[in-house]
Structure formats: C-alpha cells, structure tokens
Amino acid sequence: MSTRAVRACFATWIVVITGLYYAFPDAHLYTWAALGYSAAAAVLVGARMHRPARRLPWYLISAAIAFFTTGDSWYNLVLELGREPGFPGLADVFYLLVYPLLTAGLLIFIRVRSGGGDRGALLDALVPTVGLGLLAWVYWIAPFTRSAELSLLEKVVSIGYPLGDVLVLAMILRMLTGSGRKPGAVSTIGVAMVGLLVSDVFYGQSQLNSAWELGGPVDFGWIVFYASMGYAALRPSMRLLTEPAGQHTTESGMGRNRLFWLSAAALIAPAVLALEYAQGHEVELARGGVVDAPVIAGAAAVMFLLVLARVGDLALAQRQASSRERALREAGTLLVAATTVDDLVECIRSAVARLMPPDQPYHLQFADPRPGGAADLRVTWVAAADLPAGLGSGGFAHTLCSPQALPGDRHGIIVLGAPDPVLRAMQGSLETLAAQIAVVLDRITLTDEVSRRDSEAYFRTLIQSAADVIMIVDADGSIRYASPSAGKLFGDSFSAGGSFAGLLAPDVRPVLQTMFTPGAGDLEGVALAAYRGERRVEIECDLRDLREDPTVRGIVLTMRDVTERRRLEDDLTHQAYHDSLTGLANRVLFRNRLEQAYAAAARDGATIGVLFVDLDDFKEVNDTLGHAVGDQLLISVAQRITAAVGAGSTAARMGGDEFAVLVAPSHDAAATEDVAARLVAALAAPIELADGEGGVHLVNGAASVGVATNTDAAGATEMLRHADLALYLAKGLGKGGWQRYQRDLHTRMVQRLEMRTQLIEAIEDEQFVLQYQPIVELADQAVTGVEALVRWQHPVRGLLGPYHFVEAAEESGAIVGIGTWVLREALRQFAAWKAADPSTTLRYVSVNVSARQFRSPDFADVVRRALADSGARPEWLLLEITESLVLRDADKVLSDLKALRALGVRVAIDDFGTGYSSLSYLRQMPVDVLKLDKSFIDDILHSRQQRALVEAIVTLAGNLDLAVVAEGIEDAGQHAALDTMGCQYGQGYLFAKPQWPADIPALTAAARTLAASL
C-alpha cells in the first residue's frame, strides 16, 4: 500500500473515532483509548515505513502519546467505575511523563538538523518563549501558587503542566525558527503542539474554576494533537527531521516577518504590565505601588521598537554590502579572463550590471580612446554639464567618471550615470572596480609588449625545431639556407651551399625544370625522392616562389618524409583490390582488368576468355570440418588456380567459393578451353588439410567451370553473364567439369526466370490444385489414407505436374509458399471428408515436405496453425520427408521431428533406400513410416536380389515398429508378393491413379465394399 493510502486510511479512522467519541459519551473509555493508541501506533508505522536515519525520537514521541493516552484511560476508567479520580493520582504520573518524552524527541530533531550551532535560531526561539512563559506565569502558574485550597504536592503537580507546555513550546519554536527550508512534517508537528497547548490552557482554567467536563470541546485540541502527530510520522518528509538541514535546505537571513513576530513577542512584557496596571490601578494606588507603570511600559516599548528598527536597517545595509562584495568578486573573475581591450569592455558592462541595484535605471558609456596624457585614475563626481564633448549622462544630473590608461600611450574614460543616491552608494564599488581595471590594462599592455619582443625569437625557434625541412634555394639551384632537419632527411649527402638537384634521386631530377621555371607559381604536393644511404626516401614538397620578395629573394621549399605514408597507401591500395584471404585479385580489380583487356582485344582482333569457377559441395566442408578448414581449402584452391592458369592470366576471388580467371589474349577460343581443362584437372586431385587440432583431412576440391569468350559478347558485362550461364550448365550436367557458353543457354535461363516469376504469381493467384492418390491396405485393399499431390493449373499451358516446376520452385524459394498452401489445403479437405462421413476408412492424409520448407525456422509453428485453422487432428497428418534431409543437419532435424511428434503428427521417410546413408538413423530418428521407392518394386518379380532386399527392408521396419508403404504397384503379382512379405500398405496405378477431391469419397466407399466382401 502506498504512503498516501496509509495516510488516508489513518485520517479516515481518526474522523470516524472522533465522531463516535462525541456521539456516544458512555463509550469515552474505549473511543478515547482507540484515538490515542492509534496515533501512537501510527508513529511506529511511519518510522518503519520511511526508515529515518534515527528512529529514537519517533519512539520517544510514540511513548509520550501512549503515556498520555494511558493517563486519560486510567482517568476515564476511574470515572467509569463511579469513583472520583484523586489529585494528584496515577493519571498525573503518566501525564507529567509526556512532557520530558516529547521534549527529548524534539530536542533530538533540533540537534540533528542544526548540528547544535545555530545560536541565532536559538535566540529567536527564546524571545517568544520567554514572552509566552510570562503569560503562562501571570495567568496560569501564579494562580496555582497563590491558591490557599491546594496542598504543596497539588501545587507542584499543577505547576508541572504549564511548565511542561512551556518546555515543549520552546522546542517547537526552536524547530520553526531554525535556518533553512522546513519539511512538511514540521508544520504538522506544530499543529499538534498548538492543539496540545490550547487544550492544556483551557483545561487549566477549567480546573481553577472547577468547571472541567469530560467530552467537551476542550478535548478536540488533544484529538488534534493525537491525529497530527500520527499523520506527521506517516508523511515521507518525516525522514528529513533526522538529517542535517544543509542537505535539503538553503540558509536564509532574517526577514521582515521574523522581525515582526520577534517584536510582538518582545512587547508581551510591557503589554502585560500595562494590562495589570489597568486592571489593578486602584489597588496599586492604595498600596503606594508603581503608579508610572504605563509611562515606563510605553517608553520601554518605544525604545525597543527603535532599536529593532535600527537593527533592521543594519541588516539591510549588511545584505546590500554583501551583494556588492559578491558582485565585485564575480567582476574580478571576469576581468582576469580578459585578454584584449574589447574583451575588457564587455567584462566592464557585465560587472556594472551586477553592481547596480535591481530595477534601477543607469547609463554606461565608454569614451573613444584619446592619445597622450597621463590619465588621473581617480573616480570623480562630474555634473552632466561638465562632461567632455561626445559624452552624455543619459539624462541624469550627475555621473561618475573613471579615466583609464590604455595600451599604446592612450587613455579612455568610463562614464556612469544614475540617480544621485545610487551614485553615492556605487562610488566605493566603482573605485574598487576601476583599480581592478587598471591592473588588467597594465597586464594587457605588458603582454602585448612581451609578445612583440618574443615573436622573432619564437618563429626562429619554431623553424629550428620543425620536423619539416624548410629550405631557401636560389634561382640557379644552390641552397642558401636549410633548417636543421635537412640533415635528418637527406643524411650525410647534405651540405649547406651545395646543389639541390644533387640531393635528389636521378629519376626525379627532371621535375626540377618544371619547378624552377619562371612564372610557374606556387606548387603543392610535388613528389620527389632521395637516397639516404641505401634506403630510398619518398619526399613531398611544397614550393613558394618568393624571388620578388625583398626579405627572401629566393624559392622557399617545404619538404617532409612521406616514405611510410606512401607504403601505407600502397598497402591500402593492394587491400582495396585484392582478396585478404587468398591474395588473389578481388571483384573490383578483376572487372577493371577485364574491361581493359576487352577494349584491347577489340582493338587488336584478339580473343580473350573468362572462366567462372565454383567449388562443388564446399558447404559440406564448412558444415562438417569447420570454417577454418574451409578457409585453408580456399587458399589451396587459389594456389592451384594460379599455377594452372599461368603468368599471363589474372585469377580472382569473386566471393565465397567462387573464383574467376581472365585468360590472356590468344588467336582463338581453344586456348581458353585448354586453360579450363587444366583447371578442372588440377582441382580434381584431393587436397590434404590440417584442422588445427592435430587431425589431417583429405578434402575433395573439385569444381565446375563456366567458359565464355569475347567473340560471343558485346561487352565485358555480357562476358561475365555468359560465363555465369555456362557455369550453371556445368553444375547441371553433373559437376566436376567445364562447359562453354552456348547461345541457347540464354534462352533457357530466361525461361527459368520467367518460370520463377510465374510461380510467385501462381502462389498469389492460388493457381495450384491438389489431387489425391489412395493408400490401401494390401490385405483387403481398404483405403486408409491418401497422398496429396500438387498440380499447377497454368493459365496458358494447362495442368502441369511437379516435374515442370518443382526444381525451379526449389531454386527460387517459392517451394516454401507452395508447401505451406499444400499443407493447409490438404488438411482442410481431409477435415471436410471426415465431417461429411465420420465412418470413412480414411485415417490420414500424407503431405510431402521439401528440405527447404522443413528447414525454415518456423515450420513447426506453420504446422500448428494449419491444424488449428482447418480443425484437423494431429494424428490425421503424415509428413513425408526425404532421406537426404534426415542425413544432413541431423541435430536440428532430430529436434524439429521431436517437436512435431510431440504434437501428434506422424513422419514418413519418402523414397527410402534411394540415398547413400547408414540405416542406423532409423533407430535414432523419430519416424513412423517408410515409403519404398518405385524403383525397388519394379523388379521384385524378376530379380531375386531385389526381392530379397525389399523383404529385408520390410523385416527391418517390422523390428523397429515402423509401417511400410510400397509405392508404384502396377500389377497383381507385385501386390501378392508384397502382401506375402508382410508389407502392410501400398499405392500405385493398380489401385487408383491420382483422383480429384470429389472422387475420393466414392472410391473409398467402393474399396470398403470390396474389403467387406473378401
């Protein structure tokens, strides 16, 4: 529960209990105890909730409230028993203990927040405390002392109450007069103390008059005391009462309000004296007492008020002086930062604005600097009419003028116009500011002089220490001056007065003719070179022709050693045009050289060729042996390609496992084909690679190569495209070989691209349809399932089987979209059959899943959504996956299959036995059905080995609790043989060709009738 909610609940509880207290007088014993103890508990709850730095004062306050309530409860209990409470009695013991506990708790607050050193706040609190204490003595304590009806003990106890109230009053006044901002809990405690004091005062008066009555309005003050103390402890600001005030507040000075209340408190004494005199004038005259008491009281009050007024004036003057002193310090800080006269002017404007009293108009003007004359630096009072020409007062009668000496034997004047009282108050501050300005001006003048004298030495030192060589050369090439760094650049070959050309390498000396040609002007970045011993040094030179400058009369050369920079630039250039792994040219460099070679071949009538090389099954190497071995394979392949193509050709790595070769120009295409043949032969030999962990692997680096020449292409780009098409043909013809570009390749590629586009449109337009081939039980030919077979209802070519589009769909990725549609449509149709005939023999629909579709990250989620959307049960679905999918990425496939099996979906291995594999995966993989490929069934009647193989597979499946479905059964002999072997299920043209959805129910019913008759 939030603190605000807790406070609301507490306030509501207090209101309710208060209402009950006044509404049911007979229940005072209980309602009053509930009020008091609830407040004590609220203080403890607040201390626990907000965790103040010190909890002791809150525990003391809670104990004080509890004692107060206990005393009241004892008093009420005695009345409830029909007896008169004694005075003094046990209740008075509890009452009197309240005041030291409260005082101790409040004193801890005061000492923690002020640190015990705020004497001013203590005095401010004592003045009203003494005054109010006087009132308590005159009207409360003194009557008890003079009462003849009270015993000594009764007088002591009676006096203890007002003395305790005065003590608590002193503490709360000390908290309220403390410096800094007060937390909200302080004001709440103040309200509690006011309630306590008011009720105690009225209670004391009623006791004197014997008019006390339980349940009267006087009790409301104590209710305020209880409620306010509990509410203060529940406020979050209660934590601040036990933390130093400096952490949360800022120091504040004595304001008008505090002076007023202190004055009012100080007037209590004379006011009481006057009141006593007015009430007892006749008695005083009879006794010969003080008859001039009103005069004395009036005089004391007037003098005291005058003193306080003077103290107020002093406090105001002190604040103004402190403000001006602070402004002068800030102005001094600004002036120290000034480095020029213009900076100084802005600093003076800012300083004067800080020094001027708020909301006071003023006029500030700077006279134009004037030559000569020693300026009188005193700040003088000048009438507006006496100002020099060009200066104004801004409409004020008088001004303050401050002359200042400026650099260059000049002086200026600062003119400040304002009302006369403001000028009188500002004169001392302006004199101090003028002295600071004079010091800053002297510093600026001295700095300028030092800078002027040091500039020549500075630039001489700069040139002597410069890393660049600065040289002055005459028109005939002789060196007139050279900085010391010349010896470091040119080595022992440098000598002052020698020839500049003799320092340079022979191959760059002709450049000097251009550099020194009259009228050549300034040059930058001229590339030169020299030899320092055996090492060649690359030099970058800037030239300034200052032969017409009378101070130089020569050519100024600035030279620097750029050998390392040139080497780095060469390295970066090499990296930009070469592959970082193999060192071969990259795609950019290969393309540039191809374009240059194509242009040269077109000009000379030569033949050039381009080979595209792609490694076969490179992904398997990365997947099985790791990328580190894959990188070694790429490096070895690059070396073999370089060795095979010869020095005249360019080999490049285009990216991944793709390489390209630019064959040197020749007279015909035969040379390019020879290179392709050598390349295929060189890469066909196995490559031995280490895996970095002590293992050695023999890896097949065979590649397919596409060949293209410039004779069939209209440009370099078309040559690359032709080579890519030829590579595609080589891959399709079995890999490990090379093929040359043929013109019909382009047509076939265009058709394939059109096929891909049409497949995407077919998915969007829902041009696919499904046929279903029944799966029967061989024993009685009952139809137990169907296999969904996709067909493409092409808008132009008609109904197309999978042979026409599945390969293109696999390459383009469209197979994923097609497979998803087939899955959803097959489940929807099967659910419709089940709904139409719940007694149908159909138990499942079989759906083929491509490897690409199965490997999609969300395939399991796709199956879940398809089942949910169609309303089909998971056991109605059989997913057919290929044997090759099971053998690759075995861990991921195993994880996905387990997820599908957990749904209740069954899994079948399609075309079982056609791949190269180990049968051990059947034991490891969660599959349910094996589908024997048609190639196993075709020769089952004519080949004993084939029949034995099928029988072994059926037996193995039976031992592994796997069902077997034989595909491609076309005659009764095959049916009988498979039935005899124990094969349970089959499908093929013997039973039915693929059927449209509308024909399946009738076919199923006929098969059921046939099975019943057997």
Side-chain angles (χ1 to χ4, degrees):
M1 182 182 295
S2 65
T3 58
R4 180 174 297 179
V6 173
R7 294 198 300 274
C9 292
F10 175 74
T12 303
W13 170 255
I14 292 297
V15 171
V16 171
I17 295 299
T18 301
L20 294 175
Y21 176 78
Y22 282 105
F24 301 98
D26 295 334
H28 284 174
L29 173 63
Y30 308 101
T31 54
W32 189 260
L35 275 170
Y37 290 126
S38 296
V43 174
L44 296 177
V45 169
R48 182 173 181 83
M49 285 177 56
H50 302 300
R51 301 180 182 276
R54 296 191 181 184
R55 301 187 186 183
L56 177 60
W58 293 106
Y59 292 156
L60 294 174
I61 292 173
S62 178
I65 297 173
F67 277 22
F68 204 142
T69 306
T70 303
D72 285 340
S73 299
W74 176 258
Y75 186 93
N76 293 336
L77 178 61
V78 172
L79 292 177
E80 186 72 15
L81 296 176
R83 291 183 291 175
E84 187 67 21
F87 179 79
L90 180 60
D92 296 290
V93 175
F94 288 109
Y95 290 151
L96 292 177
L97 286 175
V98 170
Y99 298 102
L101 290 173
L102 273 179
T103 302
L106 297 178
L107 185 60
I108 293 175
F109 289 152
I110 293 169
R111 294 193 62 83
V112 171
R113 285 185 57 78
S114 66
D118 196 347
R119 184 181 174 206
L122 176 61
L123 294 175
D124 290 345
L126 287 177
V127 171
T129 301
V130 172
L132 295 175
L134 176 62
L135 289 176
W137 172 262
V138 172
Y139 296 105
W140 194 357
I141 299 175
F144 283 118
T145 62
R146 293 193 294 267
S147 176
E149 300 175 357
L150 300 176
S151 66
L152 179 61
L153 180 60
E154 289 174 339
K155 290 181 179 181
V156 171
V157 173
S158 299
I159 292 172
Y161 289 111
L163 288 179
D165 287 333
V166 171
L167 187 61
V168 173
L169 173 65
M171 295 299 104
I172 192 62
L173 288 175
R174 174 62 182 84
M175 292 179 66
L176 292 173
T177 57
S179 61
R181 187 176 179 182
K182 310 301 182 297
V186 172
S187 59
T188 310
I189 294 176
V191 172
M193 294 300 105
V194 170
L196 175 64
L197 293 176
V198 170
S199 289
D200 283 353
V201 168
F202 281 102
Y203 174 75
Q205 292 297 322
S206 63
Q207 287 288 76
L208 287 174
N209 301 326
S210 300
W212 166 248
E213 180 181 357
L214 181 64
V218 175
D219 293 349
F220 187 75
W222 290 320
I223 294 174
V224 171
F225 167 70
Y226 288 151
S228 298
M229 291 303 291
Y231 193 84
L234 293 175
R235 297 185 67 172
S237 61
M238 61 89 76
R239 292 193 300 267
L240 304 181
L241 295 181
T242 53
E243 294 180 8
Q247 296 181 4
H248 301 279
T249 61
T250 57
E251 191 69 24
S252 61
M254 178 179 290
R256 295 177 181 269
N257 292 334
R258 182 173 295 189
L259 284 174
F260 171 79
W261 290 113
L262 289 177
S263 301
L267 290 174
I268 290 176
V272 170
L273 181 60
L275 183 61
E276 288 290 307
Y277 176 80
Q279 292 178 346
H281 180 63
E282 303 297 333
V283 177
E284 294 293 338
L285 288 177
R287 293 189 326 192
V290 181
V291 295
D292 295 328
V295 177
I296 297 173
V302 170
M303 286 188 295
F304 192 77
L305 289 174
L306 290 175
V307 171
L308 286 179
R310 181 56 180 152
V311 170
D313 291 341
L314 291 175
L316 178 61
Q318 179 64 28
R319 286 198 298 271
Q320 292 176 347
S322 298
S323 176
R324 285 195 294 270
E325 182 181 357
R326 184 171 58 255
L328 283 173
R329 288 198 304 268
E330 295 173 352
T333 303
L334 293 174
L335 293 174
V336 168
T339 57
T340 65
V341 175
D342 292 337
D343 292 343
L344 184 61
V345 169
E346 294 302 320
C347 292
I348 295 172
R349 292 186 187 276
S350 177
V352 171
R354 294 170 184 264
L355 289 171
M356 290 297 295
D359 303 326
Q360 284 289 347
Y362 68 93
H363 169 76
L364 181 64
Q365 184 177 0
F366 300 89
D368 294 334
R370 301 181 182 184
D376 185 358
L377 301 182
R378 293 180 301 171
V379 176
T380 57
W381 187 282
V382 180
D386 298 334
L387 289 173
L391 298 179
S393 65
F396 299 102
H398 294 89
T399 63
L400 291 176
C401 294
S402 174
Q404 293 290 335
L406 300 177
D409 195 20
R410 300 177 300 163
H411 74 275
I413 301 176
I414 302 173
V415 179
L416 175 63
D420 288 356
V422 175
L423 291 180
R424 291 190 185 94
M426 285 287 297
Q427 185 167 359
S429 299
L430 189 60
E431 289 175 351
T432 303
L433 182 64
Q436 294 178 345
I437 294 171
V439 172
V440 174
L441 285 172
D442 288 343
R443 175 174 57 80
I444 293 175
T445 302
L446 181 61
T447 301
D448 291 345
E449 180 65 19
V450 171
S451 297
R452 184 185 64 79
R453 293 182 180 182
D454 289 347
S455 60
E456 182 178 351
Y458 170 77
F459 284 107
R460 182 183 300 110
T461 303
L462 184 64
I463 292 175
Q464 295 291 333
S465 303
D468 289 357
V469 176
I470 300 175
M471 187 179 292
I472 300 177
V473 180
D474 291 332
D476 60 357
S478 59
I479 301 172
R480 190 186 341 143
Y481 169 82
S483 61
S485 54
K488 182 178 180 181
L489 179 65
F490 294 104
D492 298 337
S493 59
F494 172 75
S495 61
S499 171
F500 177 65
L503 299 176
L504 303 179
D507 58 317
V508 301
R509 291 174 185 172
V511 180
L512 295 180
Q513 297 179 359
T514 303
M515 293 175 58
F516 293 165
T517 299
D522 297 341
L523 301 175
E524 292 185 358
V526 180
L528 301 176
Y531 283 97
R532 186 167 59 230
E534 299 296 329
R535 181 173 178 266
R536 182 181 175 92
V537 179
E538 300 293 333
I539 300 172
E540 185 178 78
C541 177
D542 298 335
L543 180 146
R544 298 291 181 268
D545 190 350
L546 300 179
R547 283 177 286 193
E548 302 300 327
D549 189 331
T551 60
V552 180
R553 297 190 181 279
I555 299 174
V556 179
L557 303 177
T558 304
M559 293 169 286
R560 62 197 63 87
D561 186 350
V562 294
T563 305
E564 291 300 320
R565 192 180 79 186
R566 294 280 170 79
R567 183 188 61 79
L568 179 60
E569 290 173 352
D570 292 342
D571 291 344
L572 292 176
T573 301
H574 183 272
Q575 293 177 15
Y577 290 100
H578 291 80
D579 177 56
S580 59
L581 178 64
T582 62
L584 299 179
N586 62 11
R587 183 186 297 273
V588 176
L589 180 58
F590 183 83
R591 182 63 182 262
N592 290 341
R593 291 188 179 179
L594 175 59
E595 291 177 350
Q596 295 173 7
Y598 185 90
R603 182 185 65 245
D604 301 336
T607 300
I608 59 172
V610 171
L611 309 181
F612 265 14
V613 183
D614 186 83
L615 299 184
D616 298 332
D617 303 321
F618 177 72
K619 185 177 185 302
E620 280 71 10
V621 176
N622 272 342
D623 292 345
T624 57
L625 301 180
H627 290 276
V629 176
D631 289 346
Q632 293 186 47
L633 175 60
L634 292 175
I635 295 172
S636 299
V637 168
Q639 294 171 350
R640 291 191 179 187
I641 291 175
T642 302
V645 302
S649 300
T650 299
R653 183 186 177 202
M654 306 299 283
D657 61 336
E658 296 181 355
F659 297 84
V661 177
L662 173 60
V663 181
S666 60
H667 297 292
D668 54 29
T672 302
E673 295 176 354
D674 290 344
V675 174
R678 291 201 308 270
L679 195 56
V680 170
L683 297 178
I687 301 174
E688 188 176 273
L689 301 174
D691 58 10
E693 298 179 356
V696 178
H697 304 275
L698 198 62
V699 179
N700 182 14
S704 299
V705 179
V707 181
T709 63
N710 61 331
T711 57
D712 299 322
T717 301
E718 191 170 8
M719 279 187 70
L720 295 175
R721 187 164 59 249
H722 288 175
D724 194 16
L725 291 172
L727 175 62
Y728 174 79
L729 177 62
K731 286 280 189 182
L733 293 178
K735 304 180 181 180
W738 65 273
Q739 291 294 326
R740 185 178 173 184
Y741 169 75
Q742 301 172 9
R743 293 189 180 275
D744 60 345
L745 279 177
H746 182 72
T747 302
R748 279 187 281 173
M749 181 58 69
V750 170
Q751 291 175 350
R752 184 170 291 274
L753 292 176
E754 290 177 353
M755 174 69 73
R756 292 182 179 182
T757 303
Q758 291 172 359
L759 281 172
I760 296 174
E761 294 175 353
I763 296 173
E764 295 175 353
D765 298 340
E766 297 184 355
Q767 297 176 5
F768 294 99
V769 295
L770 291 182
Q771 289 184 328
Y772 299 89
Q773 187 173 24
I775 300 173
V776 303
E777 291 191 12
L778 297 182
D780 56 7
Q781 299 187 26
V783 179
T784 60
V786 290
E787 180 180 359
L789 303 174
V790 65
R791 303 289 186 262
W792 183 6
Q793 189 65 53
H794 195 281
V796 178
R797 300 168 61 186
L799 190 65
L800 301 179
Y803 170 80
H804 297 280
F805 62 86
V806 166
E807 184 179 356
E810 288 278 2
E811 292 178 356
S812 64
I815 193 66
V816 176
I818 296 173
T820 301
W821 179 86
V822 170
L823 176 64
R824 299 177 67 88
E825 176 62 19
L827 288 173
R828 185 200 64 78
Q829 181 61 63
F830 193 83
W833 288 332
K834 280 286 192 179
D837 183 10
S839 63
T840 180
T841 59
L842 292 176
R843 296 199 302 269
Y844 67 91
V845 60
S846 180
V847 178
N848 288 277
V849 179
S850 71
R852 191 163 186 172
Q853 179 186 4
F854 189 88
R855 290 195 179 98
S856 59
D858 60 341
F859 178 69
D861 293 334
V862 170
V863 173
R864 290 189 186 95
R865 288 195 296 270
L867 288 169
D869 294 344
S870 63
R873 298 179 182 174
E875 61 267 21
W876 294 352
L877 176 61
L878 177 69
L879 295 177
E880 295 187 16
I881 61 176
T882 61
E883 193 172 8
S884 59
L885 172 63
V886 176
L887 296 176
R888 292 179 59 182
D889 300 330
D891 293 339
K892 181 181 183 306
V893 171
L894 178 61
S895 174
D896 292 343
L897 289 178
K898 287 182 178 179
L900 291 171
R901 289 284 301 280
L903 289 176
V905 176
R906 296 189 302 152
V907 180
I909 302 296
D910 193 19
D911 299 334
F912 177 77
T914 59
Y916 173 74
S917 65
S918 170
L919 295 179
S920 62
Y921 76 86
L922 291 178
R923 179 174 54 85
Q924 301 170 356
M925 290 294 175
V927 296
D928 305 277
V929 179
L930 299 181
K931 297 194 73 174
L932 286 176
D933 188 68
K934 183 178 182 298
S935 60
F936 285 91
I937 308 303
D938 288 341
D939 295 334
I940 196 173
L941 300 178
H942 309 293
S943 172
R944 182 172 58 84
Q945 293 85 354
Q946 192 77 346
R947 182 185 182 95
L949 179 59
V950 172
E951 189 171 3
I953 293 175
V954 171
T955 302
L956 174 64
N959 293 334
L960 296 176
D961 294 329
L962 301 176
V964 178
V965 178
E967 297 181 301
I969 301 175
E970 296 183 351
D971 58 48
Q974 295 172 341
H975 176 197
L978 290 168
D979 189 21
T980 303
M981 294 177 189
C983 181
Q984 297 172 283
Y985 305 99
Q987 67 182 107
Y989 284 4
L990 175 63
F991 309 111
K993 294 182 178 181
Q995 304 290 315
W996 292 107
D999 300 330
I1000 291 297
L1003 183 64
T1004 303
R1008 180 167 54 188
T1009 303
L1010 178 61
S1013 63
L1014 293 178

